Amino acid sequence: MACAVQTGEGHAFDVLAERYAARIYQHLYRIVGHRQEAEDLTQESFLKAFRAIQQYDASREFRSWLYAIATNTGRNALRARGRRGPMVSLDGEENFVPAGTENDTSDAQLRADRQAQLAEAMGRLPEHAAALVDLHYREGMSLREAAAVLGTTEGAAKVALHRARRQLRAWLIRDE
Amino acid sequence: MNMQCPEVKQQLEEHFDAGETLPGPLLAHLAACPRCMAYQRRLEALTQTFTQGPDVPPQLVQSVIRAVVEHSPSTRRPFALDLNPGWPAGRTPQSRPGAAGNILAAAVALVLAAIAGGYWLPFPNIDYAQWARPLWKAVTHFDSPDYPLASFETDLFGEGIFEAILEETAAAYSVVQNAALPLPVSPVTLTAAITAAALALLFFNLWETHSMTKRHLRG
């Protein structure tokens, strides 16, 4: 499909946007922690990809190429504003609510609450660690592929992911 | 309960990290220990939240396509986007409409203008004069002492005199009659014709955009 975009087929980019826009948005939200900023950065990422589509090497996986662009876009945005995500303290937060224990809260609200808590926790992680957690868990990338997207080695990614998981557990799951 | 709770929690974390199913001894401990069972459920919920991702804005795809269309220098903003502000996601035209149509229409307009102006005849071997006076030429007859029973031709712009003798005749006409050379088409008619051609070009472009829009909607 990316090759179709390279040759100028009108429908091809629409298809790519439909396939990847939501996933890229979720990835960027995990990095920057702001919905509106994530949406703006999603547009910016696709615009960059569209302009650079002639440089895309078809022998590489398009998903990795696009995620690399999005990740760099998110990182640059964070550096531009000189801070890392919403620095909200979790000390006063409720413990991470496990599924099936809610009474009055709807599933949708519960899910939204969990995502908000996770976004806040991800905002405390280094940006590359947040991106790594998202690529590996939500996007289902192998460590090798996620490392390639982030421009690091598989070993370094493994260590970073381990630390990130431990840190997120410490913030989000309070033992009783 | 042979296993101690801290050991169980550590193993639970390791198994969740590795994505492995829980072994029998761990399951036995969880069945008998509500505290570790609750911890295991929180781990499950956290992992599930990792994999789900946040909700996505409903107009995200449309906004992405719109951003690319509006900011990319290689594409022209489709007229259809202005007509359809609530365009369904993924159905927005992306290709440049009208490039081929504009070239074709311009070529046709050029040919018509050349014919109308008398600068080019599509079939030069045909004697047009034997059928009728061409629309792009005016033939004027006048009589004077120096130019008895003279006649000459003028084109759309009062020029296009092909022979010297005709130029002299035309000049004599201007002097004798004290008037401008008669034109085959009045300036008003000529302006109207050019305006009509421009409108036809515009209509052709819009029609092609409309056709492309319908193809996108069907596709």
Side-chain angles (χ1 to χ4, degrees):
Chain A
M1 191 55 67
C3 295
V5 178
Q6 284 178 322
T7 57
E9 289 186 26
H11 282 298
F13 187 80
D14 294 10
V15 175
L16 285 178
E18 282 191 2
R19 186 179 298 173
Y20 290 107
R23 293 151 70 178
I24 291 295
Y25 167 83
Q26 290 176 326
H27 180 62
L28 285 164
Y29 179 68
R30 289 273 167 87
I31 294 176
V32 300
H34 294 269
R35 292 191 180 280
Q36 186 56 52
E37 187 172 14
E39 187 171 351
D40 294 344
L41 292 174
T42 302
Q43 294 176 9
E44 186 180 337
S45 300
F46 273 89
L47 188 57
K48 286 179 179 175
F50 185 75
R51 286 173 174 168
I53 194 68
Q54 299 302 333
Q55 299 163 30
Y56 165 64
D57 177 4
S59 64
R60 290 182 59 194
E61 191 172 352
F62 179 76
R63 178 179 72 161
S64 301
W65 184 76
L66 184 59
Y67 267 94
I69 291 174
T71 303
N72 289 332
T73 303
R75 285 173 162 178
N76 291 340
L78 289 176
R79 289 177 191 137
R81 61 178 158 102
R83 61 187 178 86
R84 168 79 184 96
M87 302 299 287
V88 179
S89 170
L90 293 177
D91 294 344
E93 295 288 333
E94 294 293 323
N95 202 354
F96 204 72
V97 184
T101 59
E102 64 279 12
N103 293 323
D104 299 330
T105 312
S106 69
D107 286 346
Q109 183 59 47
L110 182 66
R111 184 167 172 269
D113 290 345
R114 284 181 186 154
Q115 289 296 338
Q117 291 178 42
L118 181 61
E120 290 171 355
M122 295 280 261
R124 290 178 152 194
L125 289 176
E127 63 205 35
H128 72 277
L132 184 59
V133 169
D134 182 65
L135 291 174
H136 183 65
Y137 280 103
R138 188 190 51 77
E139 189 56 29
M141 286 187 185
S142 67
L143 274 178
R144 179 189 297 270
E145 189 181 0
V149 168
L150 297 172
T152 185
T153 64
E154 186 177 354
K158 188 175 183 179
V159 172
L161 184 64
H162 175 74
R163 288 178 180 163
R165 276 189 304 232
R166 191 175 57 190
Q167 193 65 69
L168 288 171
R169 271 198 294 266
W171 286 331
L172 292 169
I173 302 180
R174 192 174 305 150
D175 197 7
E176 295 166 346
Chain B
M1 283 190 286
N2 294 327
M3 300 178 74
Q4 299 298 311
C5 289
E7 182 188 1
V8 167
K9 287 173 182 170
Q10 184 177 352
Q11 288 196 20
L12 279 174
E13 292 173 358
E14 290 171 357
H15 280 87
F16 268 103
D17 289 351
E20 298 169 345
T21 56
L22 300 179
L26 269 182
L27 291 173
H29 179 95
L30 293 176
C33 178
R35 189 182 170 104
C36 287
M37 175 62 86
Y39 187 72
Q40 187 250 356
R41 292 176 69 183
R42 287 196 292 273
L43 278 176
E44 277 183 348
L46 179 60
T47 305
Q48 190 181 23
T49 304
F50 280 164
T51 59
Q52 283 175 339
D55 293 338
V56 176
Q59 300 297 319
L60 180 69
V61 174
Q62 183 184 355
S63 67
V64 165
I65 293 174
R66 188 182 291 271
V68 170
V69 169
E70 287 180 349
H71 293 104
S72 174
S74 62
T75 59
R76 190 177 69 187
R77 173 184 172 83
F79 177 69
L81 268 182
D82 295 326
L83 295 178
N84 301 276
W87 199 278
R91 299 282 186 179
T92 310
Q94 192 59 199
S95 62
R96 296 184 59 179
N102 281 337
I103 292 172
L104 180 63
V108 170
L110 192 61
V111 168
L112 290 176
I115 293 173
Y119 296 107
W120 179 70
L121 301 178
F123 304 103
N125 294 330
I126 294 177
D127 184 5
Y128 291 92
Q130 71 179 351
W131 296 335
R133 179 177 65 81
L135 291 174
W136 57 90
K137 287 183 180 176
V139 178
T140 304
H141 304 278
F142 83 104
D143 192 16
S144 72
D146 293 334
Y147 297 91
L149 300 177
S151 64
F152 62 90
E153 294 178 345
T154 46
D155 65 8
L156 285 172
F157 305 103
E159 298 175 349
I161 311 299
F162 301 117
E163 297 178 9
I165 184 64
L166 297 179
E167 288 186 15
E168 285 184 29
T169 308
Y173 174 88
S174 297
V175 172
V176 172
Q177 301 291 327
N178 191 25
L181 297 179
L183 301 176
V185 180
S186 73
V188 173
T189 307
L190 184 63
T191 304
I194 293 174
T195 305
L199 288 174
L201 181 66
L202 177 64
F203 176 78
F204 188 86
N205 193 14
L206 292 179
W207 173 78
E208 192 193 48
T209 303
H210 177 68
S211 300
M212 186 195 67
T213 299
K214 287 169 65 176
R215 287 199 298 276
H216 274 270
L217 285 173
R218 281 199 300 269

